[in-house]
Amino acid sequence: MARPVEYDRDTVLTQAIRVFARHGYEAASTRDLTEGMGMARQSLYGAFGDKHGLFLEALRSYSARSLAQIQVALNAGNPCLDALEAALLVGLGNAEDLESGCLGLSSIMEFSRSDPDVSAQNDLAGRATIAAFAARIGQGIEEGEVTAGTDPNAAGRLMLTLRSGLKIAARAGATDPELRATARLALSAICARAG
């Protein structure tokens, strides 16, 4: 009996994320996935069940990695403005690398609210991202770096919305200085030292 091919799950999920980011869910063929992941069809289905199962695991992995990047930026010990700016700008992707797009945003655009599993994962990721921003904004309020009276949760939702827009702008070709200037302008609404 032949031994099953061994693979590193994180590595193949990273490769699946890139395939789905390039093609979207519906347009990503089994061939695209097997070639992109370096797995045989049988191994892919044996490991993930089906394309939908693979997509959900890739989306969970992408969301966890994105949140981890944001949390590192927010908790690096920098002043609040710098921490928020870094968190807004980390991992945006770009127009030159079609596989650097945001899997979360593309899944929202492709599925809207039609797939309960995808919606649940995106809702969970959104809540976690808002909470991370809100916690840092709350700390900024205590330290006098964020305008007193700012609602941390509303500001966290603003940061999530802004980050989503920045990802789209980056994918459309906005330059790093343009993205940074946009983030700074938005942060000037809540931070005492911005602009």
Side-chain angles (χ1 to χ4, degrees), residues 129-141:
T129 302
I130 290 166
F133 276 115
R136 186 62 183 95
I137 290 164
Q139 182 183 351
I141 292 168

Side-chain angles (χ1 to χ4, degrees), residues 101-126:
C102 176
L103 194 59
L105 283 177
S106 65
S107 70
I108 291 168
M109 297 303 293
E110 187 167 355
F111 289 98
S112 185
R113 301 294 292 181
S114 67
D115 185 308
D117 296 326
V118 172
S119 295
Q121 175 54 46
N122 284 326
D123 291 347
L124 181 66

Side-chain angles (χ1 to χ4, degrees), residues 160-184:
L160 176 61
T161 301
L162 177 59
R163 184 166 160 78
S164 298
L166 290 169
K167 284 184 172 194
I168 292 168
R171 188 76 183 257
T175 65
D176 288 342
E178 290 169 337
L179 296 167
R180 186 170 305 280
T182 301
R184 279 281 166 136

Side-chain angles (χ1 to χ4, degrees), residues 7-124:
Y7 61 91
D8 178 79
R9 198 167 188 90
D10 286 338
T11 299
V12 296
L13 280 172
T14 297
Q15 294 161 333
I17 289 166
R18 293 184 69 79
V19 172
F20 285 127
R22 172 179 280 273
H23 298 286
Y25 173 78
E26 193 61 41
S29 68
T30 302
R31 181 177 180 173
D32 293 329
L33 290 164
T34 56
E35 288 179 0
M37 296 168 68
M39 294 180 78
R41 180 186 187 115
Q42 184 176 358
S43 297
L44 187 150
Y45 288 119
F48 299 100
D50 58 15
K51 180 179 168 182
H52 189 258
L54 170 61
F55 183 76
L56 288 174
E57 190 164 342
L59 183 58
R60 276 191 295 274
S61 178
Y62 177 86
S63 298
R65 294 174 194 186
S66 181
L67 179 60
Q69 288 180 317
I70 290 169
Q71 289 173 324
V72 165
L74 290 174
N75 299 318
N78 294 320
C80 191
L81 170 65
D82 298 332
L84 292 172
E85 181 181 297
L88 286 171
L89 297 174
V90 68
L92 294 181
N94 61 68
E96 286 77 39
D97 182 359
L98 294 179
E99 296 178 347
S100 70
C102 176
L103 194 59
L105 283 177
S106 65
S107 70
I108 291 168
M109 297 303 293
E110 187 167 355
F111 289 98
S112 185
R113 301 294 292 181
S114 67
D115 185 308
D117 296 326
V118 172
S119 295
Q121 175 54 46
N122 284 326
D123 291 347
L124 181 66

